[in-house]
Structure formats: structure tokens, C-alpha cells
Amino acid sequence: MEDKIYIMSKIYENYSKRGENIQEEIRQKYFKNKKDLDIATISKGMIDLCKQYKVVDWIDEESCCYEFQILLHENQEILDDDIELIRILGGERNDLRIFFSIFDKFYFMFLQKTKYDFLQKKWYFYTIKKYSKKQKQIVQRIVDYMDRMKWTRISDSVAGTRIPDIELELKETGQATVFNCLFTDKVDIEKIIKNSAKS
């Protein structure tokens, strides 16, 4: 179980309460902590745990975000053409998205279902809360591995908690959440938490 007081202390340790732009300072931490937190080992661990699934490195140096996505369709490669891939998968795909904080050993994950309407040419995104048996197995495998690596999983309730006096590059004061501060402000975690669908 995560320690909310410790999490908040790490956020305030790394961000200004006055909403100052500290993006360059955060970027420097990103490069330093990528080695200190041994993200390379985590990456290898993800691949070893998910041998039947494609693990994609979505680490973004621009936004200083460590993220991996696991395509939860056995023995299916990622294609350059997203529409062709979802066509092969029958109109929908499931991805496990896992975020790792650059500040300390915190991680957050959720299962995303993506659907594509070929007639309207529109994408739809949902958060799966009810896992299939195979999905439960792979999630538990990752949770057990992260426990062994001494990483703490952030729950939905903590991730969605707003921070009243911190401003981020894409979030005004009072709009940023714990998730935005620990991981990235490019993802609308409140929408993800609310936008749930049965698998």
C-alpha cells in the first residue's frame, strides 16, 4: 500500500509551490534518475515477463516520462499502421500501460481498450476494470515483479488526487494531480479513471 504522506513529500521536494517553470530542472533529473532507478533493468524485466506479448518502450525524453506499453494480444507484432493493426485485431486492441516516476520508485498502470469505427473513422478509448483471466495473470505477474524490485504501485484514488498549489507546463495551478506530478501532465488521468468499461 502506498504511503500518501511520503508521496506528497516527494512531489513538493521536486516542484515549486509558486508555479515556477522548472521544466529544465525536471529534464535534468530525468536523465540522471533514468540510470539511478535502473529503468533498463525494468525494461528487460517487462520483456522477460511478457514473452508472448509485444512490449513497447514509450519513454519520452521531451516530456520526461518513463512509460512502457504491452500489447495484450499474443504473438502479435506492432505495425507502423495503427488502423491496419486494429483491423487485424478485429476492431479493438488491449494495451497495458505502465508509467514509472522519475523521482522515486513509484509506478502506475491501467489496461486500455482501443476501438476504431471504420465507418465514422473515429477512435474510442476506454479503461478496463474487469480483467479477463489472462489479463489478470499478466497484471499479477508484473505486480509481483515490481514488489520484488521494491517499487510502489500508485492506486487510482491517490493518482487522481489534485494538488492545490502546483502548476505544471500543461496544468494550471489547482489542476495538476498526483499522477501528473509523478509521471506526466500529457495524460488526463481523471478522465482515464472515470472512463471505465467492462472488458
Side-chain angles (χ1 to χ4, degrees), residues 137-198:
Q137 290 173 343
I138 194 69
V139 167
Q140 191 58 54
R141 208 180 299 166
I142 290 171
V143 169
D144 291 344
Y145 171 71
M146 298 308 295
D147 284 348
R148 293 195 301 272
M149 297 295 288
K150 307 300 184 185
W151 282 70
T152 299
R153 184 178 181 180
I154 303 298
S155 65
D156 286 3
S157 60
V158 171
T161 301
R162 288 199 178 187
I163 311 296
D165 50 2
I166 287 179
E167 177 183 351
L168 302 179
E169 191 171 25
L170 300 178
K171 296 289 184 181
E172 296 180 359
T173 303
Q175 298 299 310
T177 63
V178 167
F179 176 91
N180 297 142
C181 293
L182 290 181
F183 304 105
T184 176
D185 59 353
K186 287 187 173 182
V187 173
D188 187 345
I189 194 62
E190 292 173 306
K191 184 177 180 180
I192 287 169
I193 291 171
K194 292 177 182 177
N195 192 19
S196 301
K198 291 183 179 180

Side-chain angles (χ1 to χ4, degrees), residues 6 35 52 62 78 91-92 99 104 110 146 156 164 189 199:
Y6 178 70
K35 181 177 180 180
Q52 296 169 295
E62 182 178 343
I78 296 291
E92 66 178 52
F99 298 83
D104 208 330
F110 66 93
M146 298 308 295
D156 286 3
I189 194 62
S199 58

Side-chain angles (χ1 to χ4, degrees), residues 55-71:
V55 179
V56 182
D57 180 343
W58 275 67
I59 291 177
D60 182 3
E61 294 185 0
E62 182 178 343
S63 64
C64 304
C65 179
Y66 307 142
E67 180 188 357
F68 294 94
Q69 291 191 20
I70 303 171
L71 180 64

